[in-house]
Amino acid sequence: MSHPRPDLSVAIGPLRLRNPILLASGTCGYGRELADLVDIGALGGIVLKGISLKPRPGNPPPRIVETPSGLLNAIGLENVGIDTFIERKLPSLREIDTCIVSNILGESVEEYGELARILDMAGGVHAIEVNISCPNVKAGGFAFGTDPAAAAEVTLAVKESTCLPVIVKLSPNVTDITAIARAVEKAGADALSLVNTLFGMAIDIRRRRPALANVFGGLSGPAIRPVALRMVWQTVRAVGIPVIGIGGIRTAGDAIEFLMAGARAVQIGTISLVNPRASTEIISGIESFMREEGFSRITDMRIDR
Ligand SMILES: Cc1cc2nc3c(=O)[nH]c(=O)nc-3n(C[C@H](O)[C@H](O)[C@H](O)COP(=O)(O)O)c2cc1C
């Protein structure tokens, strides 16, 4: 028996999304790139490519390698920089009827604060996602996201610089993700998103050298899903703020696993590079599943324990 139309809308702090599906940072450019292929207005939201204060050329090639059920990338956070973003990319984003999330990255706590302040004044984005998987250049190069105090410091600097909702994106390259999650929640984050890519590498055996020019890269795609799901499950049970699940989601069933683990929404990354329509197919698939199983709201699917 099929049930009445379910309500797919979700709230992430003050944000209201028409459904729990967003495109993940770095896999949908600055939004417009996919516009001919995907009905962006049908999505819950899009998270734009990470932006830094100054433009970044990224790493030299090769910077993408396929692995079994996954992708290793060492793009090196290439981006146009905040000024060009505001001048050339932001105006057309204002015409899109979906939630626009700007992803930011800095080399120091001050840079994160400055980016948040500039975005707050620019208008046109609905939330900021803070990528804390970047090296803290002033403090020896360890990633902000691997240390609870540094992660909290960045969160605080961003919160103090903007009225926009702040989503902090956690790195999976840690022993206990809940320690970072709690520190970031205490510093005032409105929501968390996890996970970013897992640190990895591959070797080109014919050339006897690492396959990526940068040697190391970030692993994404279906290969990381069980790890991401485990971290989302743990984090949901460690904090009170909403959690957005990310990592290897390929189908509606994969997305539902994260929603059952307690994620309020999910982001779709690498699979869009294989099938650009995956995100909208996932939305229809979730709706069909809810009808079949008699769920009327997304949060009803959560496993309570
Ligand atoms: C090519 C590429 C570029 C990415 N760029 C960014 C980025 O700029 N900022 C960020 O926070 N995450 C970035 N990510 C990480 C994704 O947003 C996502 O967290 C990760 O890929 C896991 O999800 P997936 O397995 O669905 O791809 C990037 C991932 C890929 C594959």
Side-chain angles (χ1 to χ4, degrees):
M1 194 186 81
S2 194
H3 292 263
R5 193 175 188 138
D7 177 4
L8 266 66
S9 67
V10 291
I12 306 209
L15 283 183
R16 296 285 172 276
L17 309 185
R18 64 167 64 87
N19 61 57
I21 304 299
L22 299 105
L23 297 180
S25 179
T27 60
C28 57
Y30 296 105
R32 281 281 168 203
E33 289 85 342
L34 282 182
D36 292 341
L37 296 167
V38 189
D39 178 7
I40 293 177
L43 301 171
I46 54 173
V47 187
L48 309 178
K49 176 72 191 154
I51 288 284
S52 48
L53 273 186
K54 298 264 170 294
R56 288 173 64 117
N59 290 322
R63 47 190 202 171
I64 293 241
V65 180
E66 269 190 57
T67 63
S69 296
L71 185 73
L72 266 174
N73 93 79
I75 304 293
L77 300 166
E78 173 181 350
N79 76 91
V80 297
I82 190 81
D83 293 341
T84 306
F85 169 71
I86 288 176
E87 206 177 298
R88 306 230 185 104
K89 311 285 181 187
L90 197 55
S92 67
L93 287 173
R94 295 198 177 100
E95 293 154 22
I96 303 177
D97 177 26
T98 195
C99 177
I100 309 283
V101 183
S102 187
N103 177 290
I104 59 169
L105 60 116
E107 289 184 351
S108 67
V109 172
E110 296 74 26
E111 274 190 36
Y112 280 101
E114 180 68 1
L115 283 159
R117 195 184 57 74
I118 297 171
L119 282 171
D120 191 81
M121 288 193 311
V125 305
H126 303 107
I128 296 179
E129 182 180 70
V130 187
N131 178 3
I132 55 170
S133 301
C134 318
N136 182 347
V137 171
K138 279 193 191 164
F142 71 90
F144 291 99
T146 58
D147 175 63
E153 220 188 320
V154 170
T155 307
L156 198 62
V158 173
K159 276 300 284 181
E160 280 174 350
S161 310
T162 179
C163 301
L164 292 166
V166 173
I167 303 163
V168 178
K169 182 168 179 179
L170 304 186
S171 165
N173 303 311
V174 293
T175 313
D176 178 10
I177 199 156
T178 63
I180 313 282
R182 282 197 204 92
V184 164
E185 177 183 42
K186 210 167 154 209
D190 297 286
L192 302 172
S193 57
L194 58 137
V195 295
N196 211 317
T197 52
L198 275 91
F199 216 27
M201 73 174 287
I203 289 180
D204 180 334
I205 59 168
R206 293 286 173 194
R207 296 170 141 191
R208 284 185 64 224
R209 65 164 87 126
L212 293 167
N214 188 55
V215 183
F216 305 125
L219 182 64
S220 63
I224 73 167
R225 184 164 50 85
V227 178
L229 185 64
R230 184 262 297 172
M231 289 187 165
V232 165
W233 177 280
Q234 289 177 312
T235 304
V236 162
R237 281 147 189 85
V239 297
I241 51 177
V243 169
I244 302 172
I246 323 169
I249 296 173
R250 196 173 49 95
T251 64
D254 297 345
I256 292 165
E257 283 195 56
F258 280 86
L259 298 170
M260 287 192 171
R264 191 67 59 83
V266 295
Q267 293 181 16
I268 311 300
T270 302
I271 199 63
S272 300
L273 308 178
V274 182
N275 170 16
R277 294 196 180 87
S279 48
T280 46
E281 290 167 11
I282 288 171
I283 297 169
S284 325
I286 293 175
E287 186 174 340
S288 304
F289 178 83
M290 289 174 74
R291 273 182 204 255
E292 285 161 24
E293 298 292 327
F295 290 113
S296 46
R297 298 188 61 83
I298 293 290
T299 44
D300 295 346
M301 291 197 280
R302 179 179 164 153
I303 299 170
D304 282 322
R305 98 185 147 76

